[in-house]
Amino acid sequence: GAVVSQHPSRVICKSGTSVKIECRSLDFQATTMFWYRQFPKQSLMLMATSNEGSKATYEQGVEKDKFLINHASLTLSTLTVTSAHPEDSSFYICSAGEQGGWEQYFGPGTRLTVT
Amino acid sequence: AQTVTQSQPEMSVQEAETVTLSCTYDTSENNYYLFWYKQPPSRQMILVIRQEAYKQQNATENRFSVNFQKAAKSFSLKISDSQLGDTAMYFCAFMKYNNNDMRFGAGTRLTVKP
């Protein structure tokens, strides 16, 4: 099946710094990628949807200037958390879909801890 | 907006027994997909089963089957012959047809006891 990777799997950063998380589709072209946030013992909340070559669509309540999403190629999307604060600590999961397909392929997630 | 409700935060079942996880959803769409995902302690999301709303026949995948009641907007998951490896969080999810925007329920933590 299709594989999606995320890097890094874990990251610790200091408050006020920025951190970038990469999401890659390894064996297919991902026309659409999704970014989710999952707090402990909670569900996945969609943050934004990105289509290759266009601006991301953010969900209501998600600050687009804080969570910068770039989907510059058909195999790579990045999420940059700018000026991170401890409340941004969470598990971030990306998923990717092929054009015309229904399935979303999920990455293994990135645990972000802001100290 | 679509909402997905899982009313059972936690459930447990004895190994080899059968358990049913509940899910209801709210939508005005006629065509859509419903999913059950498993999230084990590794946090990797694993697709368990998928149902297309236009299909009346309930989906089955080995020990996993669903009871899809479109009029009632209900989509329960039955796990037969439960195994220790089934211990995980289970999320019900909704996706509009031709729109990969997926919405998840709050999840049910299932524990299979030996």
Side-chain angles (χ1 to χ4, degrees):
Chain A
V3 179
V4 174
S5 69
Q6 279 185 245
H7 178 79
S9 57
R10 291 174 179 263
V11 58
I12 301 172
C13 70
K14 293 190 175 182
S15 187
T17 63
S18 295
V19 61
K20 180 184 287 187
I21 302 170
E22 293 185 348
C23 177
R24 292 182 185 273
S25 57
L26 299 185
D27 50 3
F28 68 99
Q29 293 187 327
T31 51
T32 308
M33 286 185 167
F34 305 86
W35 287 95
Y36 297 87
R37 181 163 55 181
Q38 185 179 30
F39 290 110
K41 298 186 179 181
Q42 293 189 24
S43 187
L44 282 73
M45 299 300 296
L46 181 65
M47 298 175 66
T49 302
S50 71
N51 292 296
E52 186 266 338
S54 61
K55 288 185 178 180
T57 302
Y58 290 82
E59 292 297 302
Q60 192 171 9
V62 177
E63 299 174 62
K64 62 180 180 181
D65 294 330
K66 180 170 184 60
F67 298 99
L68 301 179
I69 292 172
N70 183 280
H71 191 168
S73 79
L74 285 171
T75 58
L76 173 65
S77 176
T78 59
L79 167 67
T80 301
V81 183
T82 62
S83 186
H85 291 286
E87 56 265 31
D88 298 324
S89 298
S90 188
F91 194 68
Y92 292 86
I93 302 174
C94 75
S95 69
E98 298 175 279
Q99 186 171 12
W102 58 266
E103 187 158 6
Q104 284 192 30
Y105 304 99
F106 285 85
T110 296
R111 182 177 301 282
L112 169 64
T113 303
V114 184
T115 61
Chain B
Q2 284 65 233
T3 58
V4 181
T5 302
Q6 292 179 251
S7 58
Q8 305 153 314
E10 294 189 17
M11 292 194 72
S12 63
V13 63
Q14 290 295 134
E15 193 176 8
E17 296 293 306
T18 296
V19 64
T20 298
L21 309 184
S22 301
C23 173
T24 59
Y25 59 94
D26 186 28
T27 184
S28 58
E29 301 289 327
N30 190 47
N31 292 322
Y32 49 87
Y33 297 104
L34 293 164
F35 306 89
W36 278 97
Y37 280 90
K38 171 184 177 181
Q39 189 181 42
S42 68
R43 308 290 290 270
Q44 174 72 56
M45 295 290 284
I46 300 167
L47 177 64
V48 174
I49 200 164
R50 171 183 71 117
Q51 176 79 42
E52 292 160 280
Y54 71 87
K55 289 186 177 179
Q56 291 187 332
Q57 188 171 7
N58 289 323
T60 63
E61 285 289 341
N62 301 314
R63 298 184 294 109
F64 300 88
S65 62
V66 298
N67 183 1
F68 173 49
Q69 302 290 327
K70 190 173 184 179
K73 296 180 182 174
S74 170
F75 182 63
S76 61
L77 173 70
K78 185 171 82 171
I79 305 175
S80 304
D81 186 25
S82 298
Q83 300 175 1
L84 297 178
D86 295 334
T87 292
M89 281 289 291
Y90 287 81
F91 293 101
C92 178
F94 172 99
M95 187 169 76
K96 288 186 202 178
Y97 195 72
N98 279 338
N99 179 339
N100 287 15
D101 186 347
M102 189 175 291
R103 304 290 164 166
F104 290 88
T108 296
R109 182 174 301 279
L110 176 68
T111 302
V112 180
K113 298 180 178 179

